[in-house]
Amino acid sequence: MDGIIKLRPHHLLCTQGYSGKGYSEGFVSNMDIVTKRLRNNPDEKVEIIFTTDCLCSDCPSKVAEGVCKTDEKVQRFDKGVIDALGLKEGVYSYQELITKLDEQLGAGKEDERLKAICGDCEWYPVSACWRNIRDKKYVL
Ligand code: SF4
């Protein structure tokens, strides 16, 4: 993928929890490319956008530009991350964002801070989101 990676806020969490599973083959291939770039390049920038992004583009749940089949849920997840980081739309360093996020969400007793944002996501019980965030696995 060329150009800056555009991410909606809660995908800052998904790009850390992702472990090769996803909604469709196309979604997984795209996710592989995006996470490889983000996880291996300390200088990678991301553009935060409050709408569908470059991961939604290959997702079967994307209905149209700016519309996800599960908008009620994913917009709530986005809001949790916006509030945690005081985010606005714009360009940021991926590493700076996840460093702050992992410090905040990993500080609780267990996973209660992450759970409050996206605990009802279908991937939450089966993925390594909490472990990776607590261990700051992708902070370079
Ligand atoms: S489920 Fe919705 S928010 Fe998540 S990647 Fe698919 S279209 Fe985007």
Side-chain angles (χ1 to χ4, degrees):
M1 182 207 289
D2 298 328
I4 192 159
I5 293 174
K6 295 186 181 193
L7 289 184
R8 62 188 309 156
H10 84 269
H11 283 164
L12 292 168
L13 300 172
C14 309
T15 51
Q16 297 188 76
Y18 175 71
S19 58
K21 300 188 200 80
Y23 302 108
S24 67
E25 259 178 51
F27 180 87
V28 167
S29 322
N30 185 40
M31 194 75 177
D32 283 343
I33 295 167
V34 171
T35 52
K36 197 168 166 202
R37 256 178 72 177
L38 293 175
R39 291 174 179 181
N40 294 302
N41 300 317
D43 299 327
E44 196 71 45
K45 301 266 188 243
V46 289
E47 184 177 348
I48 296 295
I49 53 171
F50 295 171
T51 183
T52 47
D53 66 3
C54 71
L55 297 176
C56 302
S57 65
D58 283 290
C59 179
S61 291
K62 182 176 173 183
V63 178
E65 276 319 311
V67 188
C68 167
K69 229 189 265 177
T70 59
D71 260 341
E72 175 280 319
K73 198 166 66 174
V74 297
Q75 285 176 5
R76 177 163 43 83
F77 298 167
D78 283 340
K79 185 171 184 317
V81 175
I82 290 169
D83 291 348
L85 292 176
L87 276 182
K88 295 189 186 341
E89 288 187 304
V91 175
Y92 296 85
S93 147
Y94 179 74
Q95 280 296 315
E96 279 176 24
L97 290 180
I98 67 161
T99 300
K100 279 192 212 145
L101 202 50
D102 292 8
E103 273 166 10
Q104 278 194 38
L105 300 181
K109 220 166 67 187
E110 267 294 329
D111 66 337
E112 71 270 8
R113 293 186 187 192
L114 184 63
K115 216 177 202 169
I117 294 177
C118 58
D120 59 336
C121 170
E122 66 185 281
W123 300 103
Y124 197 92
V126 294
S127 76
C129 312
W130 163 241
R131 267 201 318 280
N132 293 351
I133 286 167
R134 177 198 60 196
D135 298 345
K136 301 183 174 58
K137 183 169 178 181
Y138 296 110
V139 173
L140 299 171

